[in-house]
Amino acid sequence: LLDGTDMSTAAEPSSSSSSSSAASSAKKRKKLFTRELRQMMFGFGDVPNPMSESVDLMEDLVIDYIHDTLEAALQVASKRGRLQTEDLVFLVRKDPKKYTRVIELLRMNEELKKARKAFDLDAAPVPGGAEEKE
């Protein structure tokens, strides 16, 4: 999913009949968000070092949510054949909090791109400029 793995193996939804296989696949799954989830849990009122089982459960929930959201976005994008940012925006359009946050993050991303580009242009030495003359 985020690390280049196939979506079908990245997060398998658990069912009551395959709870043991879901548990084994959760153990095989790479820990992608453990550090960030610990910090978020503390920020939302948990102890400074939450139990590993709690963090693992939260990570499973987050990965399942991302998986389900991306599957829905792929269904929306199936006509075009590729996933675009607008497909995710389309999915959250009816949830005002999510929609506002997505738009805010996209704008912030554009501002960061512009700032990086401006910084790169400013940092590049000008041929024949004062830095090269001695």
Side-chain angles (χ1 to χ4, degrees):
L1 194 58
L2 297 176
D3 62 348
T5 59
D6 183 19
M7 278 186 32
S8 62
T9 59
E12 297 175 10
S14 61
S15 65
S16 59
S17 63
S18 64
S19 61
S20 62
S21 66
S24 64
S25 70
K27 290 179 183 178
K28 293 177 187 177
R29 189 180 302 163
K30 191 176 189 180
K31 303 292 183 189
L32 298 173
F33 307 112
T34 300
R35 183 174 50 101
E36 292 84 358
L37 284 170
R38 284 184 188 279
Q39 293 170 352
M40 288 176 69
M41 290 170 71
F42 176 63
F44 282 102
D46 205 337
V47 296
N49 191 16
M51 293 177 54
S52 295
E53 293 84 5
S54 298
V55 177
D56 290 345
L57 175 64
M58 289 298 295
E59 186 158 14
D60 288 343
L61 292 172
V62 167
I63 290 174
D64 286 345
Y65 175 78
I66 292 171
H67 179 264
D68 293 345
T69 303
L70 287 176
E71 269 191 356
L74 284 170
Q75 288 176 353
V76 170
S78 64
K79 293 176 184 169
R80 280 193 313 277
R82 64 184 206 137
L83 185 63
Q84 294 181 342
T85 307
E86 290 79 23
D87 300 320
L88 293 170
V89 174
F90 179 79
L91 287 177
V92 298
R93 73 190 185 284
K94 293 183 181 178
D95 186 334
K97 287 183 180 182
K98 288 180 188 173
Y99 180 78
T100 303
R101 182 66 175 150
V102 166
I103 297 300
E104 177 186 354
L105 289 171
L106 289 172
R107 286 185 184 142
M108 198 179 318
N109 188 39
E110 287 300 317
E111 289 177 25
L112 286 171
K113 282 182 185 178
K114 289 178 186 176
R116 280 189 208 110
K117 186 175 182 181
F119 181 76
D120 288 343
L121 291 176
D122 291 343
V126 178
E131 295 171 352
E132 290 185 7
K133 293 181 182 176
E134 292 182 26

